[in-house]
Every structure is written in C-alpha cells, then in structure tokens.
Amino acid sequence: MTPNTLFQHTDIILASSSPRRRELLAGMGVPFRIADAYPVEEVWPAGIAPQEVPSFLAALKSKAYPGTLTADQILITADTVVIHDGRVIGKPKNRDEAIDILHRLSGSAHEVVTGIVLRNDRTEKHLSETARVVFGTLSTSEIEYYVDCYRPYDKAGAYGIQEWIGYVGIERIEGSFYNVMGLPTRLLYAALTDFIRTQHL
C-alpha cells in the first residue's frame, strides 16, 4: 500500500512550530496540515526521570490542543530533549547560554530523546526513541562561529545536527539521525500506518 493510498482518508494534524518536524513529516510522504498555535506551559513535575520528560511534554501538548478530533483525524504532538550528565538541556535563551551549552557537550556524549503522541477521538498512542550523540572536542572559536552564524536559539541542546556543527563536530551517532533532528521517522511512520489500519478494521 502506497502512502497516497494509506493516508488519503485521514486528516493528519501536526501541532508543532518546528520547521524541522514539518520537513521530516513531508519527507516521509505524509500529507498533513499545521495546527493553529495554542498556548502550552512546557513544565514537568520535579522528580520525573529526564528520559520521561519528552513523553510527558508531548502528552501535555496533546491534551492542550483546543480542537475536537474525529475518528478520521490524527493529531501529532512531539517534544525532543537533550540529556547530558543526567540533566535535561533545553533551548538556550541567548548567545552566552548557547556557547556554555556547547562547551559542555564538546568532547562528550549525550542522549537525544523524542516523545510523540498520536491521538484521535478514541485512541491515543505514545512513542519514544533515544539516540546517543558523541561530539568531538570543539574549540571556543568553532563554537562561537556556529552560534553567531546559525543562532541555534530554537534548538534543544543549542545545535542542529543538520547544520555546520553536525558536519564537523559530531564523531558518531548511535540511533536515528532524524530523531536527533526532531522526529524518529521510521518509528513514526510505522506507528502512523498501524494507527490508521487499526482504526479501520
């Protein structure tokens, strides 16, 4: 069954402002529309394990969606976090914070975890995938060059793997490259196809 046939009767709604997620979902051959922006306070309870944070936030975004879903719709919400030394590394607020984050990631390994929720009016499916990323040692001038040229203030961990720093700074990845970009595409495609087939049995 081709993507055109599989998805032709399903209204897929992506609730994300991330241009990377839009690019990845389009690259998967999935027809979708973007949900109108709505407010979500992205905070998580104290004591939650760092690896559980993205799944918690993806569920929070799903619950906050203001629209009413039908059986022929699928809402996709997602969140990606970087975990280094047991701590969640969020998006940098400014240049100094981005530089500090990248100094911490330099010469070490970290995890990138993405949580996803698929939901319609009667079913909810939770997904999670982890990749391990190893950075080589970056000089201060390299870090400052990247931050000043690419301004990675909208990216967890202060970097985009598809940008210059990914080409020159990353030694290896264990897991999905696309997960590090923001969506584990193989996992999501399999889950979407299974979700649609299950709903139409």
Side-chain angles (χ1 to χ4, degrees):
M1 184 178 291
T2 67
N4 285 343
T5 304
L6 179 66
F7 299 117
Q8 64 183 344
H9 299 302
T10 306
D11 177 23
I12 296 173
I13 306 164
L14 177 64
S16 175
S17 61
S18 166
R20 274 84 55 191
R21 291 199 181 108
R22 298 177 187 187
E23 175 188 345
L24 291 171
L25 197 56
M28 291 162 58
V30 176
F32 66 96
R33 60 186 174 93
I34 303 296
D36 292 335
Y38 56 92
V40 182
E41 189 177 5
E42 296 186 29
V43 296
W44 56 89
I48 188 173
Q51 289 79 6
E52 295 176 6
V53 168
S55 293
F56 178 88
L57 293 177
L60 197 68
K61 293 174 183 179
S62 184
K63 291 172 187 172
Y65 178 68
T68 300
L69 298 172
T70 68
D72 294 323
Q73 293 178 315
I74 302 175
L75 176 71
I76 302 174
T77 55
D79 195 86
T80 301
V81 303
V82 168
I83 301 170
H84 182 255
D85 285 341
R87 295 174 52 202
V88 173
I89 307 295
K91 299 173 184 176
K93 298 181 179 65
N94 51 49
R95 180 180 187 270
D96 288 345
E97 191 169 314
I99 290 171
D100 177 67
I101 289 171
L102 289 172
H103 271 297
R104 282 186 275 156
L105 298 183
S106 172
S108 67
H110 62 271
E111 292 181 326
V112 179
V113 185
T114 299
I116 300 172
V117 174
L118 309 179
R119 183 168 66 87
N120 64 5
D121 66 336
R122 55 188 173 180
T123 306
E124 190 171 300
K125 188 175 183 67
H126 295 246
L127 316 169
S128 181
E129 186 154 311
T130 300
R132 185 173 181 266
V133 180
V134 180
F135 263 109
T137 300
L138 299 166
S139 68
T140 296
S141 61
E142 287 171 333
I143 290 171
E144 291 178 346
Y145 167 80
Y146 172 71
V147 171
D148 290 339
C149 289
Y150 291 87
R151 303 178 63 82
Y153 307 129
D154 64 335
K155 297 176 176 67
Y159 77 93
I161 195 171
Q162 73 280 9
E163 296 174 341
W164 178 84
I165 200 167
Y167 289 96
V168 306
I170 291 177
E171 289 186 354
R172 65 184 181 275
I173 304 166
E174 299 167 10
S176 167
F177 172 90
Y178 297 111
N179 183 43
V180 183
M181 274 186 71
L183 280 178
T185 52
R186 173 61 193 162
L187 176 69
L188 177 57
Y189 187 84
L192 274 173
T193 56
D194 181 67
F195 193 102
I196 291 169
R197 288 170 176 148
T198 300
Q199 296 302 300
H200 291 89
L201 287 177

